[in-house]
Amino acid sequence: MTDFTYAVDGDGVATIAWDVAGKSMNVMSTAAFALLSDLVDQGLADAGVKGIIITSAKKDFAGGMDLNVIAEMRAGGAQAIFDGVMMMHGVLRKIERAGMDPKTLKGGKPIVAALPGTALGIGLELPLACHRIIAADNPKAKIGLPEIMVGIFPGAGGTTRLARKLGAMMAAPFLLEGKLSDPKAAKAAGLIDEVVAPDQLLARAKEWVLGAADADLVKPWDAKGYKMPGGAPYHPAGFMTFVGASAMVHGKTMGVYPAAKALLSAVYEGALVPFDTALRIEARWFTSVLLNPSSSAMIRSLFINKEALEKGANRPDAPDQSVRKVGVIGAGMMGAGIAYVSANAGIDVVLVDATQEAAERGKSYSEGLLDKGVQRRKVTPEKKAEVLARIEATTDYTALAGCDLVVEAVFEDPKVKAEVTAKVEAAVGVDCIFASNTSTLPISMLAGASVRPDQFIGIHFFSPVDKMNLVEIIRGKATGARAVAKALDFVRQIRKTPIVVNDARFFYANRCIIPYINEGIRMVAEGVEPALIENAAKLVGMPLGPLQLVDETSIDLGVKIAKATRAAMGEAYPDGAVDAVLFAMADQGRLGKKSSAGFYAYDATGRREGLWDGLEAAYPVSATQPELGEVQHRLLMAQVLEAVRALQDGVLTDIREGDVGAILGWGFAPWSGGPFSWLDIIGAARAVEICDGLTARFGARFAPPALLREMAAKGETFYGRFAARKAA
Ligand code: NAD
C-alpha cells in the first residue's frame, strides 16, 4: 500500500495520484512526502515523460498534514523540526524548478496540480509549488490554509509562496485568518488558476501539460525583475501595508497568539531576501512556533480532542440513537434556535408554544436565518422551503406523537417545566427521551416531574444557538445510558461539539463564567480602573472583558442568578460585594446592552461606546492601581480554579471536555488550549504559588483545590495524570 500511485499514459503524461489507503481524506505523512519526492524524480528523469499531473484518486485532494507528523517533529526538538521542514521545502522546490536550467530557466517539465475537491494546508501548499493549479468546479470543496486556526501557520512554503503570489495585503485573509474558499472564489482571489467542469479536470490538466511552454513554468519570483505585488516592505505602498498589518494583527490577537506574529515576521523578513532564503526564514519561524506550548495545546484541544468528542469519545455503548423527529417546547429565543438547527440537519421538528402566535414567531426565526442565507447565496430557495417544511408550529401537544426526543426551552421556572414534562410524557411514546435546556436548574430535581427519570437529561445550548458550537449534556442522578447516547447522537446530527457533565449547580460552563464576571465586578467595587479590568482580560486572550460580558448577557439575569444562588447557599454566600454593584446597576435601569445602558455607555442606535463614566462617580478609582499581571491572574484563576473544582468534584469527568468546552462555550483564552492546558503550561507548582498569593490578598475563593496542591507536590500535569485514563 502506498500513498501515491504513478502511471504514464501513451502521450507521455505521468499522473501521480494521491490515495491514502484506509482514509476517506488524504493527509500527508513523512513517508508519503519521501515517496512523492521519488515519484517526481522518476518523472523528471524519464525521457519519455513530458510532464506530470499531481491529483487525487479520492473525491478531495487533501485535508492537510497528518498532525501526528507534527507531534513527531516536535518531539525531536528544534533541529529535527527545522530539518524536517527544510526537507519538505527541498521537495516542493524541486517540483517548482522541475529540472529547468537555473540560469536560462528553460528545459523544465510542466507539473500541474489537478484538484477534484477540498485542498487544505499542505494540500494547497503542494499545488502552490506546481506550475498551474486547476480545480474541479465543486462548490462543496474548500480551498485554503487553515493552519492559523490551530495555532501554527503554513510552514511548507505556503506562507512565502502565497505572499509572493498575491502580495501581503491580498494574502492576509488566507494566511492570517485561515479563510477558506470554494474553487470559484479561490480562482477570483488568485489562489488557484483555473476552474473546470469536474469531468474535464484531468483532460484539461493533460492539455495544459502538453501545451505548456518554458515560460509557463517560471514562477514570478524566479523570473528576473520580480516585484512583490502591492510592494515589498521598503516600497512606499508596501510600507503602509506592513505597518498596517502589524497593527491589525496585534489589535486582533492582543499579542497572545505566537503564530500570527511569527507568520507576519516570516512574510516581512522573507520579502526582503531571495526566495530560497525566504523559505529558510519561514522554516525558522515555523520551528519557533511549533516549539511554543501554545501551538501544541491549541492543536490538541481545537483539533484532536474536539474531533474526538464530536466522534463520540464519551458515548456510552448503545445502539444508534439518531433523532428522526424532535419536539421543541417553548418557541422563544432558545427554542426557535434549537428548532432551526434541527430542521437544518434534516430532522422533523414539532415546535410547541402556549399560543399559536408564539409558535409561529419561533418558526419565523428560522425563516429569517434562511432568508439571510439565500441573500448570501449560501442557501438555495429550494433548501429554504425544505427546511421550513420540516417545522410544524403548533400549540397541540398531540402533534408530538412519534417524537423520539423532546427538548424543552420554556421559562426558567421549575413549576412550568414540571407541567410541560407531564404534558409531553402523556403525548409521546414510552421510548422518547426528554431533555431540558435549563441553564441553572438541577436536572436531577427537574427529573422528579418525570415518570421516566432514566430518560430525562439536560441538553444545554448556548445563545445564539445557530452560532454557538458547544452543547453541554447534563447527566442527572437517574439519567440512563440511552439518554446520554441520544443526546450525543442528536448533537452529532446538528454538527455541534458535545461535552457530557454530571449534574451540579451551573453545570460546567456557567459555573466558570460567573466567577469571571464576578471577579471583574468585584474589582470595580474595590476601585480598580474599569478599563484596566477590561483590557487585562483581552490582553490575556479573553474575547470579552467581564464587564462587557455581563452587559451582553444582561445585568438583570446576573441579579436573578445572584438572588437564586444566595437563596440556595444562605450564610455561605460569598459574593455580597459583587451584588452591591450589580443590584445598584439594575436599580438604575442599567441592564446592559439590551437597555443600551450598563457598565458601558451606548449610543442612540445601541452601539457600544466607552465604559460608562458614571461608574467612576459611584466607585471612585483608587490612587494606586494593581499590576496588570495581578488583574490577569485574578480573572484567569477565577475561571480556572472553578474548572479544577468541577474536575475534583466529578462534574467534569474528562479534562478534554473541560478544555474544549471552555474555549467553545465561553471563549476561554483559545491560545492556551483551555484551563487545564493553561495550568499545564505554567505548571501546577506555579499555579499554587499564584493562588496562595491571591488567597492572602483577596480571600479564600483563590485557595488552591486539594487536587491542584497534590499535583504541584508530585510535579504532575493534568494531561500527564488524566490523559492516561482517557486517551488525549
Ligand atoms: P424565552 O422567554 O425567550 O422563551 C420561552 C418560551 O417558552 C416563550 O416563547 C414562552 O411563550 C414559552 N412557554 C412558556 N411556558 C410554556 C408552556 N407551558 N408551554 C409552551 N411554551 C411555553 O426564554 P429563552 O431565553 O428561550 O430560555 C428558555 C430556556 O432556555 C430557559 O430554561 C433558559 O434558562 C434556557 N437557556 C437560556 C439561554 C439564554 O441565553 N437565553 C441559554 C441557555 C439556556
Side-chain angles (χ1 to χ4, degrees), residues 10-30:
D11 299 314
V13 175
T15 299
I16 298 177
W18 202 346
D19 193 5
V20 179
K23 291 210 164 151
S24 57
M25 177 72 92
N26 291 321
V27 289
M28 185 68 92
S29 66
T30 316

Side-chain angles (χ1 to χ4, degrees), residues 56 81 214 263 277 308 329 445 474 498 556 572 600 676:
S56 159
I81 299 172
D214 276 336
L263 168 84
T277 314
I329 320 296
M445 181 265 278
I474 300 113
D556 50 331
Y600 281 82
F676 296 103

Side-chain angles (χ1 to χ4, degrees), residues 314-319 321 405 431-434 443-444 447 450 452-459 473-488 500-502:
N314 291 326
R315 187 185 185 281
D317 194 14
Q321 294 292 320
L405 173 71
D431 287 338
C432 181
I433 301 292
F434 186 97
I443 292 301
S444 309
S450 168
R452 294 185 282 271
D454 60 319
Q455 288 171 215
F456 195 105
I457 194 165
I459 302 185
I473 294 170
I474 300 113
R475 219 189 276 122
K477 284 203 177 67
T479 304
R482 194 172 68 82
V484 176
K486 186 90 188 174
L488 283 166
V500 183
V501 302
N502 286 317

Side-chain angles (χ1 to χ4, degrees), residues 253-254 256-257 536-544 632 667-671:
T253 64
M254 296 287 165
V256 291
Y257 292 90
K538 288 192 191 154
L539 285 168
V540 84
M542 294 300 296
L544 303 184
Q632 290 177 323
F668 181 89
W671 65 268

Side-chain angles (χ1 to χ4, degrees), residues 196-212:
V196 299
D199 59 354
Q200 293 301 305
L201 181 67
L202 292 179
R204 173 62 195 137
K206 179 171 171 178
E207 182 189 25
W208 189 84
V209 163
L210 293 175

